[in-house]
Amino acid sequence: MKLSDDLKYTDQLLQLTKDFSNRFLSVADKLAPHKANHSLPTVTLPQAGMGGAATLEKFRQLYGDQLTAATGPRYWGFVTGGVTPAALMGDWITSALDLNGSSSGTVATCIEEDTIQQLRSLFDIPTEFLGAFVSGATMANFTGLAIGRQWLGNQLGVDIAADGMSALQHVKILSSVPHSSILKSMSMLGLGRNSLVRIPALPNRESVDLQALEAYLQEHPDQPFIYVANAGTVNTVDFDDIAAIAALKEKYNFWLHVDAAFGGFAACSEEHKHLLQGWEQADSITVDAHKWLNVPYDSAMVFNRHPKLQVSVFQNPGAAYLGDPLQEFHYNNYIPENSRRLRALPAWFSLQAYGREGYRYIVENNVNLARKLGALIASDARLKLLAPVRMCVACFTLDVPSETQADAVSGFLTALNNSGVVYMTKTQYQGQPAIRAALVNWRTTEKDIQLVWDTIQQLLTRK
Ligand SMILES: *Cc1c(COP(=O)(O)O)cnc(C)c1O
């Protein structure tokens, strides 16, 4: 039986796994960050299995040449970071331990609470915020909006968790430039995507026009709202004026959710932390961990200051074996997931290994490199930088006539991504097809900027 053999040889299997991982990581700065895999083989379920060692060999043969360095220094797509060495250690140990991160009074819960406490300190979030790990910023946004929805119901005299959505037909969710996951969450929560009211942004910005927001609130005096503030938009890393919005809470009745998926890391840098001023007055906050914290997928945190509302949404009522949600603290009464891995541990390792200064370095290094890239783009007449580099994203396009721009940008981006040097993603900014380079990986250096710039130059000259 292969299973009992594998138990006997666990040590060797882990050694093989370590060697494989190490070999991969040692060439991650040379491997292509992205490949379009259109014709990979499919495998079928074997009758008798082959054991761990042969399976690793098969994996290597089938996929070895196809693996991409999304964890490497020049994966600049979306806004996802890599994995610090200590985060990898924590992640491996998480799987070895296989602890359920939900049950109270266990070492797992202590580690999660500890990690949340360190993160509150890193981000300067007050201790009255209860924090929990979820699988990504989408789930953190979902959780924040779910608690906000419960609050909206309370304002209207309805317990939505118990009685459902029927009384909430006409509620509106306000935001200026929300991430797509906000709309996805609204759909999943039965609020409906069409309940979003887009408040205009300031001219040439992705930051809400406060006068327009206040005008809307004034026109609807008796209605409660959820306002989703942006702390770091994906195209231009723009921030709403969160302090000014929080001040509006004194006059108007709304739930303030801050989507700071990667912008929350502004807190790590003296130069940028002012961008988050006022977020300590939010009701709920999203921060992603598989972005700028550089831990492996999938990991994010939701912070919320209304634990009673949170329990009324996420409790497991009547499941005696899960304990009384109001008497004992179990994470599974506060978030969408019940059973889950000890997702906090990779973050715990990385925070302990590199500390406040390590994260300041990662953030400031990425910002400096993004600025360098932005300056190079701005210096080339064939390219157009579409917004100042506010933190970690350079958003640009080709300076060509608008009739040909869509095709030109798409052809250029495909060629750039097929070069094997870098991976960037496309976007649309102020009506123009555009390209984003998002730098949030701890491994990226000036050499990478130069290498990518040389590649861009070759492609521009070749055309
Ligand atoms: C990435 C991102 C999300 C979604 O995060 P996932 O981790 O992919 O679920 C939400 N909001 C913002 C601002 C983001 O950048």
Side-chain angles (χ1 to χ4, degrees):
M1 182 64 178
K2 293 294 181 189
L3 197 51
S4 43
D5 288 350
D6 274 4
L7 175 62
K8 246 186 289 171
Y9 297 113
T10 300
D11 181 24
Q12 282 93 325
L13 293 180
L14 288 181
Q15 188 61 45
L16 289 171
T17 309
K18 185 209 126 186
D19 292 346
F20 177 88
S21 307
N22 193 40
R23 229 169 291 143
F24 175 79
L25 289 174
S26 66
V27 295
D29 62 342
K30 298 184 189 70
L31 280 181
H34 170 84
K35 272 184 200 170
N37 295 321
H38 295 300
S39 56
L40 283 176
T42 51
V43 297
T44 50
L45 177 69
Q47 195 57 36
M50 61 189 84
T55 300
L56 177 61
E57 200 39 48
K58 180 167 184 177
F59 172 76
R60 191 201 313 274
Q61 278 170 18
L62 286 175
Y63 304 116
D65 293 342
Q66 300 299 325
L67 298 177
T68 53
T71 195
R74 293 180 307 281
Y75 182 94
W76 298 349
F78 309 102
V79 212
T80 42
V83 178
T84 66
L88 177 58
M89 295 163 72
D91 200 64
W92 181 329
I93 292 172
T94 299
S95 293
L97 301 178
D98 195 25
L99 292 171
N100 189 338
S102 278
S103 320
S104 76
T106 62
V107 62
T109 310
C110 290
I111 289 172
E112 179 155 350
E113 285 177 358
D114 232 37
T115 313
I116 289 291
Q117 177 44 37
Q118 293 177 64
L119 288 162
R120 274 193 300 248
S121 165
L122 182 71
F123 298 136
D124 226 347
I125 291 177
T127 48
E128 66 254 33
F129 279 83
L130 188 138
F133 275 83
V134 290
S135 60
T138 301
M139 281 322 280
N141 281 336
F142 173 88
T143 306
L145 290 186
I147 308 166
R149 184 185 68 164
Q150 188 66 12
W151 174 86
L152 275 179
N154 279 3
Q155 304 304 299
L156 300 166
V158 195
D159 180 351
I160 297 190
D163 299 326
M165 282 292 292
S166 54
L168 268 189
Q169 278 167 8
H170 303 295
V171 299
K172 298 290 179 201
I173 313 299
L174 317 180
S175 190
S176 179
V177 191
H179 187 266
S180 61
S181 63
I182 296 297
L183 291 139
K184 178 170 177 170
S185 299
M186 288 169 63
S187 161
M188 292 194 288
L189 286 163
L191 292 162
R193 295 189 186 98
N194 292 339
S195 307
L196 179 76
V197 176
R198 285 182 196 268
I199 308 293
L202 295 167
N204 287 316
R205 293 282 304 276
E206 291 188 303
S207 172
V208 71
D209 178 341
L210 286 164
Q211 283 178 354
L213 174 59
E214 181 152 17
Y216 188 91
L217 294 170
Q218 252 164 9
E219 281 160 26
H220 302 83
D222 300 321
Q223 221 174 308
F225 295 102
I226 296 175
Y227 181 78
V228 178
N230 294 304
T233 56
V234 289
N235 280 338
T236 68
V237 197
D238 213 339
F239 286 67
D240 281 352
D241 183 341
I242 302 171
I245 294 166
L248 289 176
K249 270 165 77 73
E250 284 168 23
K251 282 201 265 174
Y252 307 98
N253 195 20
F254 62 95
W255 177 276
L256 176 56
H257 176 76
V258 177
D259 183 357
F262 63 95
F265 288 82
C268 300
S269 143
E270 282 305 316
E271 186 189 339
H272 295 98
K273 68 201 279 191
H274 68 95
L275 293 166
L276 294 167
Q277 232 166 38
W279 78 330
E280 67 283 353
Q281 294 170 65
D283 295 290
S284 51
I285 296 174
T286 287
V287 185
D288 227 327
H290 51 226
K291 288 180 177 168
W292 234 338
L293 197 64
N294 278 267
V295 303
Y297 299 110
D298 38 24
S299 188
M301 293 78 66
V302 58
F303 297 94
N304 157 61
R305 60 156 83 239
H306 305 274
K308 278 208 187 106
L309 280 176
Q310 193 165 3
V311 169
S312 52
V313 179
F314 293 108
Q315 63 182 303
N316 290 267
Y321 73 106
L322 293 178
D324 179 348
L326 295 174
Q327 298 299 318
E328 295 168 39
F329 180 82
H330 297 281
Y331 276 109
N332 58 24
N333 290 318
Y334 290 81
I335 48 166
E337 296 97 341
N338 275 346
S339 301
R340 62 195 178 124
R341 72 203 308 267
L342 178 48
R343 201 170 270 135
L345 194 57
W348 187 93
F349 262 76
S350 203
L351 289 164
Q352 286 295 307
Y354 312 116
R356 206 181 285 282
E357 299 211 331
Y359 280 96
R360 191 192 57 182
Y361 169 77
I362 291 174
V363 168
E364 289 180 351
N365 179 52
N366 286 148
V367 170
N368 286 337
L369 295 172
R371 282 178 178 154
K372 288 212 164 102
L373 180 67
L376 288 167
I377 291 167
S379 73
D380 191 316
R382 295 165 295 183
L383 301 173
K384 203 159 47 165
L385 189 66
L386 289 173
V389 175
R390 294 207 175 83
M391 282 186 80
C392 51
V393 174
C395 182
F396 65 101
T397 192
L398 298 178
D399 197 3
V400 294
S402 60
E403 321 80 81
T404 59
Q405 201 176 32
D407 287 345
V409 167
S410 146
F412 177 79
L413 182 59
T414 304
L416 187 60
N417 287 341
N418 286 345
S419 71
V421 171
V422 68
Y423 181 61
M424 299 184 193
T425 37
K426 67 175 176 210
T427 190
Q428 191 79 15
Y429 181 65
Q430 296 191 332
Q432 297 187 68
I435 299 172
R436 315 165 43 257
L439 280 72
V440 290
N441 188 302
W442 67 281
R443 294 174 67 134
T444 311
T445 66
E446 215 149 316
K447 265 178 29 200
D448 297 304
I449 302 294
Q450 196 53 52
L451 188 55
V452 171
W453 186 244
D454 292 346
T455 309
I456 289 177
Q457 290 299 306
Q458 279 162 20
L459 288 173
L460 288 173
T461 314
R462 197 195 299 165
K463 283 199 305 173

